[in-house]
mmCIF file of all heavy atoms in Angstrom:
data_model
loop_
_atom_site.group_PDB
_atom_site.id
_atom_site.type_symbol
_atom_site.label_atom_id
_atom_site.label_comp_id
_atom_site.label_asym_id
_atom_site.label_seq_id
_atom_site.Cartn_x
_atom_site.Cartn_y
_atom_site.Cartn_z
ATOM 1 N N CYS F 30 -17.915 21.455 3.498
ATOM 2 C CA CYS F 30 -18.850 22.577 3.653
ATOM 3 C C CYS F 30 -19.697 22.711 2.392
ATOM 4 O O CYS F 30 -19.166 22.810 1.288
ATOM 5 C CB CYS F 30 -18.082 23.880 3.883
ATOM 6 S SG CYS F 30 -17.496 24.033 5.560
ATOM 7 N N GLY F 31 -20.997 22.723 2.578
ATOM 8 C CA GLY F 31 -21.897 22.706 1.428
ATOM 9 C C GLY F 31 -22.326 24.088 0.981
ATOM 10 O O GLY F 31 -21.825 25.100 1.470
ATOM 11 N N PRO F 32 -23.264 24.125 0.039
ATOM 12 C CA PRO F 32 -23.638 25.407 -0.571
ATOM 13 C C PRO F 32 -24.595 26.221 0.283
ATOM 14 O O PRO F 32 -25.337 25.680 1.092
ATOM 15 C CB PRO F 32 -24.366 24.953 -1.838
ATOM 16 C CG PRO F 32 -25.012 23.670 -1.447
ATOM 17 C CD PRO F 32 -24.052 23.003 -0.494
ATOM 18 N N THR F 33 -24.565 27.528 0.050
ATOM 19 C CA THR F 33 -25.601 28.409 0.583
ATOM 20 C C THR F 33 -26.644 28.499 -0.525
ATOM 21 O O THR F 33 -26.351 28.969 -1.624
ATOM 22 C CB THR F 33 -25.012 29.797 0.892
ATOM 23 O OG1 THR F 33 -23.842 29.598 1.693
ATOM 24 C CG2 THR F 33 -26.005 30.661 1.645
ATOM 25 N N HIS F 39 -22.472 28.037 -9.043
ATOM 26 C CA HIS F 39 -21.764 28.348 -10.285
ATOM 27 C C HIS F 39 -20.644 27.331 -10.482
ATOM 28 O O HIS F 39 -20.343 26.546 -9.579
ATOM 29 C CB HIS F 39 -21.274 29.800 -10.307
ATOM 30 C CG HIS F 39 -20.414 30.205 -9.156
ATOM 31 N ND1 HIS F 39 -19.166 29.683 -8.935
ATOM 32 C CD2 HIS F 39 -20.632 31.098 -8.156
ATOM 33 C CE1 HIS F 39 -18.644 30.239 -7.874
ATOM 34 N NE2 HIS F 39 -19.523 31.094 -7.359
ATOM 35 N N GLY F 41 -17.622 27.654 -10.421
ATOM 36 C CA GLY F 41 -16.551 27.820 -9.426
ATOM 37 C C GLY F 41 -16.863 26.996 -8.188
ATOM 38 O O GLY F 41 -16.048 26.194 -7.729
ATOM 39 N N ASN F 42 -18.079 27.144 -7.676
ATOM 40 C CA ASN F 42 -18.497 26.310 -6.536
ATOM 41 C C ASN F 42 -18.316 24.837 -6.895
ATOM 42 O O ASN F 42 -17.814 24.045 -6.106
ATOM 43 C CB ASN F 42 -19.979 26.506 -6.196
ATOM 44 C CG ASN F 42 -20.343 27.934 -5.830
ATOM 45 O OD1 ASN F 42 -21.311 28.473 -6.334
ATOM 46 N ND2 ASN F 42 -19.569 28.539 -4.949
ATOM 47 N N ARG F 44 -16.302 23.482 -8.870
ATOM 48 C CA ARG F 44 -14.907 23.045 -8.862
ATOM 49 C C ARG F 44 -14.537 22.563 -7.450
ATOM 50 O O ARG F 44 -13.842 21.556 -7.289
ATOM 51 C CB ARG F 44 -13.960 24.178 -9.281
ATOM 52 C CG ARG F 44 -12.558 23.665 -9.340
ATOM 53 C CD ARG F 44 -11.482 24.681 -9.644
ATOM 54 N NE ARG F 44 -10.209 23.960 -9.741
ATOM 55 C CZ ARG F 44 -9.025 24.476 -9.516
ATOM 56 N NH1 ARG F 44 -8.915 25.754 -9.220
ATOM 57 N NH2 ARG F 44 -7.941 23.728 -9.590
ATOM 58 N N ALA F 45 -15.026 23.297 -6.425
ATOM 59 C CA ALA F 45 -14.731 22.888 -5.044
ATOM 60 C C ALA F 45 -15.322 21.495 -4.766
ATOM 61 O O ALA F 45 -14.674 20.638 -4.162
ATOM 62 C CB ALA F 45 -15.278 23.914 -4.065
ATOM 63 N N TYR F 46 -16.551 21.257 -5.240
ATOM 64 C CA TYR F 46 -17.175 19.948 -4.970
ATOM 65 C C TYR F 46 -16.536 18.826 -5.793
ATOM 66 O O TYR F 46 -16.514 17.680 -5.350
ATOM 67 C CB TYR F 46 -18.695 20.029 -5.177
ATOM 68 C CG TYR F 46 -19.279 21.054 -4.251
ATOM 69 C CD1 TYR F 46 -19.787 22.259 -4.718
ATOM 70 C CD2 TYR F 46 -19.231 20.859 -2.865
ATOM 71 C CE1 TYR F 46 -20.254 23.240 -3.849
ATOM 72 C CE2 TYR F 46 -19.687 21.834 -1.983
ATOM 73 C CZ TYR F 46 -20.196 23.014 -2.495
ATOM 74 O OH TYR F 46 -20.631 23.974 -1.619
ATOM 75 N N GLU F 49 -13.489 17.824 -3.861
ATOM 76 C CA GLU F 49 -13.845 17.008 -2.696
ATOM 77 C C GLU F 49 -14.265 15.596 -3.124
ATOM 78 O O GLU F 49 -14.015 14.618 -2.412
ATOM 79 C CB GLU F 49 -14.964 17.697 -1.919
ATOM 80 C CG GLU F 49 -14.454 18.973 -1.256
ATOM 81 C CD GLU F 49 -15.539 19.974 -0.885
ATOM 82 O OE1 GLU F 49 -16.713 19.754 -1.218
ATOM 83 O OE2 GLU F 49 -15.202 20.994 -0.258
ATOM 84 N N HIS F 74 -26.350 32.803 6.725
ATOM 85 C CA HIS F 74 -25.157 33.269 6.017
ATOM 86 C C HIS F 74 -25.474 34.671 5.514
ATOM 87 O O HIS F 74 -26.276 34.845 4.604
ATOM 88 C CB HIS F 74 -24.841 32.323 4.859
ATOM 89 C CG HIS F 74 -23.485 32.521 4.257
ATOM 90 N ND1 HIS F 74 -22.964 31.658 3.334
ATOM 91 C CD2 HIS F 74 -22.554 33.473 4.442
ATOM 92 C CE1 HIS F 74 -21.757 32.072 2.981
ATOM 93 N NE2 HIS F 74 -21.492 33.172 3.631
ATOM 94 N N LYS F 85 -28.562 35.977 3.270
ATOM 95 C CA LYS F 85 -28.583 35.671 1.833
ATOM 96 C C LYS F 85 -29.890 34.991 1.414
ATOM 97 O O LYS F 85 -30.380 35.187 0.301
ATOM 98 C CB LYS F 85 -27.395 34.791 1.470
ATOM 99 C CG LYS F 85 -26.065 35.513 1.576
ATOM 100 C CD LYS F 85 -24.912 34.675 1.050
ATOM 101 C CE LYS F 85 -23.607 35.460 1.152
ATOM 102 N NZ LYS F 85 -22.474 34.788 0.528
ATOM 103 N N TRP F 219 -23.503 31.917 10.917
ATOM 104 C CA TRP F 219 -23.199 30.922 9.879
ATOM 105 C C TRP F 219 -22.233 29.837 10.350
ATOM 106 O O TRP F 219 -22.419 28.652 10.075
ATOM 107 C CB TRP F 219 -22.639 31.660 8.654
ATOM 108 C CG TRP F 219 -22.103 30.778 7.576
ATOM 109 C CD1 TRP F 219 -22.596 29.555 7.188
ATOM 110 C CD2 TRP F 219 -20.977 31.028 6.742
ATOM 111 N NE1 TRP F 219 -21.854 29.051 6.151
ATOM 112 C CE2 TRP F 219 -20.848 29.940 5.855
ATOM 113 C CE3 TRP F 219 -20.064 32.083 6.638
ATOM 114 C CZ2 TRP F 219 -19.847 29.857 4.892
ATOM 115 C CZ3 TRP F 219 -19.072 32.001 5.667
ATOM 116 C CH2 TRP F 219 -18.967 30.907 4.808
ATOM 117 N N GLY F 240 -13.073 22.729 2.037
ATOM 118 C CA GLY F 240 -13.836 23.825 1.448
ATOM 119 C C GLY F 240 -12.957 24.545 0.449
ATOM 120 O O GLY F 240 -11.831 24.100 0.173
ATOM 121 N N GLY F 241 -13.445 25.655 -0.068
ATOM 122 C CA GLY F 241 -12.632 26.471 -0.963
ATOM 123 C C GLY F 241 -11.697 27.352 -0.145
ATOM 124 O O GLY F 241 -11.907 27.556 1.057
ATOM 125 N N VAL F 242 -10.666 27.890 -0.789
ATOM 126 C CA VAL F 242 -9.667 28.694 -0.065
ATOM 127 C C VAL F 242 -10.272 29.924 0.624
ATOM 128 O O VAL F 242 -9.708 30.418 1.593
ATOM 129 C CB VAL F 242 -8.508 29.180 -0.970
ATOM 130 C CG1 VAL F 242 -7.519 28.071 -1.247
ATOM 131 C CG2 VAL F 242 -9.024 29.796 -2.256
ATOM 132 N N ASP F 243 -11.399 30.396 0.128
ATOM 133 C CA ASP F 243 -12.020 31.567 0.768
ATOM 134 C C ASP F 243 -12.486 31.256 2.189
ATOM 135 O O ASP F 243 -12.733 32.165 2.978
ATOM 136 C CB ASP F 243 -13.210 32.084 -0.061
ATOM 137 C CG ASP F 243 -14.218 30.998 -0.355
ATOM 138 O OD1 ASP F 243 -13.805 29.847 -0.589
ATOM 139 O OD2 ASP F 243 -15.432 31.288 -0.337
ATOM 140 N N HIS F 244 -12.608 29.973 2.521
ATOM 141 C CA HIS F 244 -13.061 29.611 3.869
ATOM 142 C C HIS F 244 -11.952 29.647 4.916
ATOM 143 O O HIS F 244 -12.217 29.583 6.114
ATOM 144 C CB HIS F 244 -13.671 28.199 3.858
ATOM 145 C CG HIS F 244 -15.049 28.157 3.280
ATOM 146 N ND1 HIS F 244 -15.774 29.281 3.028
ATOM 147 C CD2 HIS F 244 -15.830 27.107 2.915
ATOM 148 C CE1 HIS F 244 -16.943 28.944 2.523
ATOM 149 N NE2 HIS F 244 -17.011 27.636 2.437
ATOM 150 N N GLY F 271 -9.523 23.942 -1.683
ATOM 151 C CA GLY F 271 -9.405 23.968 -3.143
ATOM 152 C C GLY F 271 -9.264 25.410 -3.628
ATOM 153 O O GLY F 271 -9.923 26.314 -3.116
ATOM 154 N N ALA F 272 -8.398 25.598 -4.642
ATOM 155 C CA ALA F 272 -8.197 26.941 -5.210
ATOM 156 C C ALA F 272 -9.405 27.332 -6.063
ATOM 157 O O ALA F 272 -10.230 26.496 -6.431
ATOM 158 C CB ALA F 272 -6.924 26.964 -6.045
ATOM 159 N N PHE F 273 -9.440 28.597 -6.420
ATOM 160 C CA PHE F 273 -10.595 29.138 -7.147
ATOM 161 C C PHE F 273 -10.620 28.801 -8.623
ATOM 162 O O PHE F 273 -9.585 28.562 -9.236
ATOM 163 C CB PHE F 273 -10.587 30.660 -7.062
ATOM 164 C CG PHE F 273 -11.079 31.193 -5.756
ATOM 165 C CD1 PHE F 273 -10.557 32.363 -5.235
ATOM 166 C CD2 PHE F 273 -12.074 30.533 -5.052
ATOM 167 C CE1 PHE F 273 -11.004 32.863 -4.032
ATOM 168 C CE2 PHE F 273 -12.537 31.033 -3.850
ATOM 169 C CZ PHE F 273 -11.998 32.198 -3.347
ATOM 170 N N LEU F 274 -11.800 28.887 -9.141
ATOM 171 C CA LEU F 274 -11.986 29.029 -10.577
ATOM 172 C C LEU F 274 -12.110 30.534 -10.801
ATOM 173 O O LEU F 274 -12.945 31.192 -10.175
ATOM 174 C CB LEU F 274 -13.278 28.342 -11.028
ATOM 175 C CG LEU F 274 -13.581 28.576 -12.503
ATOM 176 C CD1 LEU F 274 -12.743 27.644 -13.359
ATOM 177 C CD2 LEU F 274 -15.049 28.366 -12.810
ATOM 178 N N ASN F 275 -11.257 31.064 -11.655
ATOM 179 C CA ASN F 275 -11.288 32.495 -11.945
ATOM 180 C C ASN F 275 -11.857 32.734 -13.331
ATOM 181 O O ASN F 275 -11.897 31.835 -14.168
ATOM 182 C CB ASN F 275 -9.880 33.083 -11.872
ATOM 183 C CG ASN F 275 -9.339 33.039 -10.456
ATOM 184 O OD1 ASN F 275 -10.088 33.248 -9.494
ATOM 185 N ND2 ASN F 275 -8.062 32.750 -10.321
ATOM 186 N N ARG F 281 -12.160 36.189 -9.290
ATOM 187 C CA ARG F 281 -12.847 35.019 -8.761
ATOM 188 C C ARG F 281 -14.301 35.001 -9.230
ATOM 189 O O ARG F 281 -14.979 36.032 -9.197
ATOM 190 C CB ARG F 281 -12.792 35.091 -7.238
ATOM 191 C CG ARG F 281 -13.744 34.159 -6.575
ATOM 192 C CD ARG F 281 -13.851 34.434 -5.092
ATOM 193 N NE ARG F 281 -14.938 33.629 -4.572
ATOM 194 C CZ ARG F 281 -15.423 33.737 -3.351
ATOM 195 N NH1 ARG F 281 -14.919 34.601 -2.522
ATOM 196 N NH2 ARG F 281 -16.418 32.961 -2.972
ATOM 197 N N MET F 282 -14.758 33.824 -9.652
ATOM 198 C CA MET F 282 -16.174 33.715 -9.986
ATOM 199 C C MET F 282 -16.953 33.684 -8.673
ATOM 200 O O MET F 282 -16.646 32.912 -7.776
ATOM 201 C CB MET F 282 -16.427 32.434 -10.776
ATOM 202 C CG MET F 282 -17.809 32.374 -11.363
ATOM 203 S SD MET F 282 -18.087 30.900 -12.375
ATOM 204 C CE MET F 282 -17.112 31.273 -13.818
ATOM 205 N N ALA F 283 -17.929 34.572 -8.514
ATOM 206 C CA ALA F 283 -18.651 34.645 -7.241
ATOM 207 C C ALA F 283 -20.133 34.871 -7.471
ATOM 208 O O ALA F 283 -20.529 35.574 -8.400
ATOM 209 C CB ALA F 283 -18.078 35.768 -6.378
ATOM 210 N N LYS F 284 -20.915 34.257 -6.597
ATOM 211 C CA LYS F 284 -22.368 34.409 -6.700
ATOM 212 C C LYS F 284 -22.764 35.875 -6.542
ATOM 213 O O LYS F 284 -23.692 36.352 -7.160
ATOM 214 C CB LYS F 284 -23.060 33.612 -5.594
ATOM 215 C CG LYS F 284 -23.157 32.139 -5.900
ATOM 216 C CD LYS F 284 -23.970 31.424 -4.832
ATOM 217 C CE LYS F 284 -23.692 29.944 -4.871
ATOM 218 N NZ LYS F 284 -24.199 29.208 -3.743
HETATM 219 P P1 LIG V 1 -20.988 29.026 -1.017
HETATM 220 O O1 LIG V 1 -22.210 28.442 -1.658
HETATM 221 O O2 LIG V 1 -20.745 30.453 -1.403
HETATM 222 O O3 LIG V 1 -20.995 28.845 0.483
HETATM 223 O O4 LIG V 1 -19.725 28.247 -1.585
HETATM 224 C C1 LIG V 1 -19.699 26.860 -1.789
HETATM 225 C C2 LIG V 1 -18.281 26.354 -2.017
HETATM 226 O O5 LIG V 1 -17.712 26.903 -3.204
HETATM 227 C C3 LIG V 1 -17.312 26.710 -0.900
HETATM 228 O O6 LIG V 1 -16.504 25.595 -0.619
HETATM 229 C C4 LIG V 1 -16.500 27.848 -1.475
HETATM 230 O O7 LIG V 1 -15.247 27.928 -0.874
HETATM 231 C C5 LIG V 1 -16.406 27.442 -2.932
HETATM 232 N N1 LIG V 1 -16.169 28.528 -3.905
HETATM 233 C C6 LIG V 1 -16.778 29.732 -3.971
HETATM 234 N N2 LIG V 1 -16.352 30.438 -5.053
HETATM 235 C C7 LIG V 1 -15.452 29.642 -5.715
HETATM 236 C C8 LIG V 1 -14.666 29.784 -6.918
HETATM 237 N N3 LIG V 1 -14.717 30.869 -7.705
HETATM 238 N N4 LIG V 1 -13.866 28.751 -7.270
HETATM 239 C C9 LIG V 1 -13.796 27.625 -6.508
HETATM 240 N N5 LIG V 1 -14.518 27.439 -5.371
HETATM 241 C C10 LIG V 1 -15.337 28.421 -4.974
#
Side-chain angles (χ1 to χ4, degrees):
C30 282
T33 309
H39 55 66
N42 300 132
R44 183 184 184 206
Y46 300 110
E49 291 159 355
H74 193 171
K85 291 187 179 187
W219 172 36
V242 283
D243 54 323
H244 283 348
F273 282 147
L274 175 80
N275 293 323
R281 165 191 171 189
M282 190 177 288
K284 281 185 199 168

